[in-house]
Amino acid sequence: MRLVSLLPSATEIIAALGLLPFLVGRSHECDYPPAVKALPVCTRPRLDAQQSSLAIERAVQDLLQAALGIYDLELATLQALKPTHIITQDQCDVCAVTLADVQRAIAELWDSPPQLISLQPHCLEDVWEDIRRVGLALGVAPDPLLSALKDRIRACQSRVSDRPRRQVVTIEWIDPPMASGNWIPELIALAGGENLLGTAGKHSPYIEWSTLLAIDPEVILVMPCGFDLERTQQELDQALQTYPQWQQLRALQSGQVYIVDGNAYFNRPGPRLVDSLEILVEILHPCPEPKFRGRGWRPYVVPSMAKMSD
């Protein structure tokens, strides 16, 4: 087999199934496990991901209104790799190359095309089913991996079963603000929280400041798609200067705003969603020795006014 993965979660599924030796190409965003960074890159973005949250949002909307994809395929690289299987997605046009673009490329490049495996997860059960489909399509039994993941989920549920449920809002994009949908509300519930915005199985919604202020949640988790901890800290620092409404939220006033690594964990519908659940348990129900603090999450520390004005 010669596998090409066009999204990070598929790469992580391939690795978790023990198929990493067969992976020959990846998307520009695939970075885990670290060894995949040495593989040829088969996609490129049409926008500058180093812009501010608001600038990225505007660039995305401009591309979508022009009926253009957010990403391009590196066709010459893809053809040279001669894949037997290409794993892509049909869940979010903003997250990875679109299924239509991949289908056009396959039709253009090959008379005898590689097998296309398209993932479309909207909830946790979809993620587990995608893992099963990938395993079966590639000749690997998925049950051992799925059983191990579900054992860890049950351990989390057991740990929080007698804990009080905390009211939570998760922020998937900072400017403009968006709440988290899809599988995130399910993870919040499994971690012993009460999700107040966003609906399980549905796309992430934009939220008005009036709505967030009216809800005024006990805990706010900030997990922008594609941002690590440092980038999230920078964007949230800027948002506090731009939007004084942040200062009115009791979660900020009481030190209950947390930044999490949305790029590595929460926004990748693969095996590390269970790591994401364990992160949520650590945040909502503190333990003496948190495993993920500092690399998967940390409390948000409001910068001093002097620092913010620099």
Side-chain angles (χ1 to χ4, degrees):
M1 292 188 298
R2 295 179 61 81
L3 311 178
V4 167
S5 169
L6 297 180
L7 66 160
S9 59
T11 296
E12 297 188 21
I13 290 171
I14 288 167
L17 288 168
L19 294 171
L20 205 56
F22 298 98
L23 189 67
V24 297
R26 64 178 178 99
S27 79
H28 65 284
E29 293 181 311
C30 295
D31 56 10
Y32 188 87
V36 306
K37 296 178 184 179
L39 294 174
V41 175
C42 300
T43 63
R44 64 179 181 273
R46 286 182 169 175
L47 53 78
D48 178 8
Q50 300 307 309
Q51 304 175 89
S52 69
S53 294
L54 183 58
I56 291 173
E57 168 69 13
R58 289 171 174 167
V60 165
Q61 294 305 321
D62 287 345
L63 287 168
L64 293 177
Q65 289 175 14
L68 297 172
I70 309 301
Y71 309 96
D72 282 323
L73 284 165
E74 298 282 6
L75 296 180
T77 301
L78 191 61
Q79 187 173 34
L81 292 173
K82 300 178 180 179
T84 59
H85 301 74
I86 297 176
I87 301 97
T88 186
Q89 61 90 41
D90 191 26
Q91 194 263 346
C92 174
D93 289 350
V94 177
C95 299
V97 174
T98 66
L99 177 61
D101 286 344
V102 178
Q103 290 172 326
R104 281 193 294 269
I106 287 176
E108 176 183 335
L109 296 177
W110 292 284
D111 294 328
S112 181
Q115 181 178 343
L116 182 64
I117 305 171
S118 182
L119 311 183
Q120 194 178 31
H122 295 285
C123 62
L124 287 179
E125 190 56 41
D126 291 344
V127 177
W128 314 143
E129 183 57 31
D130 279 344
I131 291 174
R132 181 174 298 280
R133 285 199 302 116
V134 171
L136 294 177
L138 301 179
V140 174
D143 291 332
L145 171 59
L146 290 170
S147 295
L149 293 173
K150 291 178 181 181
D151 283 347
R152 290 168 60 195
I153 291 173
R154 283 189 287 270
C156 288
Q157 290 178 288
S158 176
R159 178 178 163 188
V160 305
S161 61
D162 60 348
R163 305 289 182 88
R165 303 186 73 81
R166 305 182 70 191
Q167 295 184 327
V168 181
V169 162
T170 56
I171 304 295
E172 187 169 297
W173 199 248
I174 295 174
D175 191 8
M178 297 175 68
S180 301
N182 296 310
W183 46 85
I184 298 298
E186 294 176 275
L187 292 177
I188 295 294
L190 289 169
E194 180 185 353
N195 182 68
L196 300 182
L197 283 175
T199 303
K202 303 293 185 181
H203 285 302
S204 301
Y206 292 99
I207 53 177
E208 298 292 336
W209 269 108
S210 58
T211 300
L212 186 56
L213 289 170
I215 291 173
D216 200 16
E218 177 187 0
V219 180
I220 296 178
L221 307 173
V222 186
M223 51 180 71
C225 187
F227 289 1
D228 61 13
L229 290 180
E230 294 304 323
R231 181 72 188 279
T232 301
Q233 175 84 40
Q234 294 168 9
E235 292 291 324
L236 193 51
D237 288 351
Q238 181 60 48
L240 260 66
Q241 296 186 64
T242 307
Y243 299 101
Q245 297 95 324
W246 274 103
Q247 304 287 350
Q248 301 175 43
L249 294 166
R250 64 165 172 160
L252 189 80
Q253 297 168 1
S254 62
Q256 292 297 306
V257 174
Y258 300 89
I259 58 175
V260 301
D261 191 333
N263 181 55
Y265 297 102
F266 294 85
N267 297 304
R268 293 192 182 187
R272 286 201 291 173
L273 283 186
V274 179
D275 296 52
S276 304
L277 172 59
E278 293 167 346
I279 288 171
L280 290 173
V281 171
E282 288 184 1
I283 294 172
L284 298 180
H285 308 283
C287 60
E289 297 182 0
K291 175 182 176 182
F292 291 97
R293 179 167 178 158
R295 61 185 180 93
W297 69 276
R298 67 186 186 216
Y300 176 64
V301 178
V302 180
S304 66
M305 295 306 297
K307 181 179 178 181
M308 291 176 67
S309 63
D310 288 343

